[in-house]
Amino acid sequence: MRLGVLDIGSNTGHLLVVDAHRGAAPLPAFSYKEPLRLAEHLDGSGAVTVAGIDALTSFTAGAMQVAEDKGCEQMLAFATSAVRDSANADDVLAHVAQRTGTAIAVLSGEDEARLTFLAVRRWFGWSAGRLAVFDIGGGSLEIAGGTDEEPDVAWSLPLGAARLARQWFGGATPDDEAVRRLRRQIRADIARDAGRLLRPGTPDRAAATSKTFRSLARICGAAPSGEGALVPRSLPAAALAEWLPKLLALAPNDLADLPGVSPSRVHQIVPGALVAEAVMDIFDLAELEICPWALREGVILERLDRIRVP
């Protein structure tokens, strides 16, 4: 079966075309994406702006044409925190549906964490034991943990890298006081419910997914993406602690020159690094293993699990 997965994230709109069937890993066939930056297209009331709605509508129309051209039998379209938390989410989705004929489902924060956990569990397998999973997106941080394919705990916090950059720095280079206040707030937000993950005991394996963690791992010495998905990658806490003062001191142009940093996400590196540092500190993790599978793969795997076997 050829599936199209349309992921409307807080930073990027991404259509992933995959060849998939039960019992096999989804095989990517084509990728089409654009930097929508919806987490930053919000007005003072928290509503997606006209510019943001137009960008989303245009991208969705283009993605549906690509899916048709590539022969997708089914489409799975979903949106995450930027749309979920916006003041005009219903109006945004209704506008997109009217103009493109595409109904986009909104995932709850808990579902986002749950489906990401499923993907990571399938990637590492049962030998991972008790698994903890962290995902820093543009709009939110997802945390999940457990011993099965369904996590025992799963929750979401409004600590995405793009959201924090917009709310705390407003496009300017942060001064020391702003960084201190943001660091304090991040840690308080994560620590508030940390016991949900810690009570059952220390995880046997801790993993991280998605672009922010991948970029930070690459900065800290992980192999480039060109070496393939099967190359082990990790983000060591000690390496991140050594790099964080350097990241704070670098100008935007210098940050953009670092390996793994996209020019459109330069302003998100510092808040993303502060969240990653807090995660490893509060949950007492020496390192996070980088998993190449994340939310999109979780959505695909759950869909495949629901296909009835003849």
Side-chain angles (χ1 to χ4, degrees):
M1 174 188 299
R2 178 155 282 197
L3 292 173
V5 183
L6 183 61
D7 176 0
I8 305 301
S10 299
N11 278 310
T12 305
H14 191 171
L15 169 69
L16 181 64
V17 176
V18 298
D19 292 319
H21 62 270
R22 287 191 64 173
L27 179 65
F30 191 78
S31 177
Y32 170 74
K33 57 185 177 180
E34 289 184 4
L36 301 178
R37 298 175 69 169
L38 292 179
E40 297 168 44
H41 279 296
L42 300 173
D43 63 20
S45 68
V48 180
T49 63
V50 171
I53 295 172
D54 288 345
L56 173 56
T57 303
S58 176
F59 170 76
T60 302
M64 295 305 293
Q65 184 60 57
V66 170
E68 180 179 325
D69 292 345
K70 297 300 178 183
C72 292
E73 298 177 53
Q74 295 185 22
M75 284 293 298
L76 305 173
F78 63 89
T80 55
S81 64
V83 174
R84 178 174 69 233
D85 298 337
S86 66
N88 59 340
D90 291 342
D91 292 338
V92 171
L93 297 176
H95 183 273
V96 172
Q98 181 182 29
R99 295 296 181 90
T100 70
T102 305
I104 299 175
V106 177
L107 293 181
S108 69
E110 182 177 341
D111 278 344
E112 197 174 339
R114 176 182 63 81
L115 290 165
T116 302
F117 183 89
L118 171 63
V120 178
R121 168 61 75 191
R122 292 279 178 92
W123 179 267
F124 286 121
W126 296 111
S127 64
R130 179 174 294 282
L131 181 63
V133 175
F134 306 92
D135 182 346
I136 303 171
S140 59
L141 163 70
E142 275 67 51
I143 301 172
T147 56
D148 299 326
E149 291 198 335
E150 285 282 332
D152 300 327
V153 294
W155 74 100
S156 178
L157 295 168
L159 297 176
R163 183 195 297 265
L164 295 177
R166 178 179 62 86
Q167 290 180 341
W168 286 81
F169 302 153
T173 301
D175 59 28
D176 291 345
E177 180 57 28
V179 170
R180 267 194 300 272
R181 288 188 293 109
L182 175 55
R183 183 179 184 274
R184 185 166 57 243
Q185 186 63 57
I186 288 170
R187 287 167 176 262
D189 288 348
I190 295 174
R192 187 175 299 117
D193 292 318
R196 297 174 63 187
L197 188 67
L198 294 172
R199 283 189 193 97
T202 303
D204 299 304
R205 205 158 189 169
T209 73
S210 298
K211 180 66 174 178
T212 295
F213 274 119
R214 290 199 306 270
S215 296
L216 292 171
R218 182 75 183 93
I219 289 170
C220 292
S225 59
E227 293 190 15
L230 298 181
V231 174
R233 296 173 176 85
S234 66
L235 175 61
L240 181 60
E242 182 178 338
W243 259 102
L244 192 50
K246 302 176 189 176
L247 297 177
L248 289 166
L250 288 174
N253 288 343
D254 295 323
L255 286 171
D257 289 336
L258 293 175
V261 178
S262 303
S264 63
R265 299 196 186 208
V266 165
H267 61 301
Q268 301 179 26
I269 287 297
V270 166
L274 291 171
V275 174
E277 179 199 40
V279 161
M280 288 191 279
D281 194 6
I282 289 170
F283 293 103
D284 194 22
L285 302 169
E287 70 171 4
L288 289 166
E289 296 182 67
I290 305 301
C291 179
W293 280 6
L295 177 59
R296 280 185 294 277
E297 287 77 14
V299 169
I300 295 166
L301 292 168
E302 184 176 66
R303 174 67 184 89
L304 293 176
D305 287 348
R306 292 177 177 173
I307 297 175
R308 297 181 64 180
V309 178

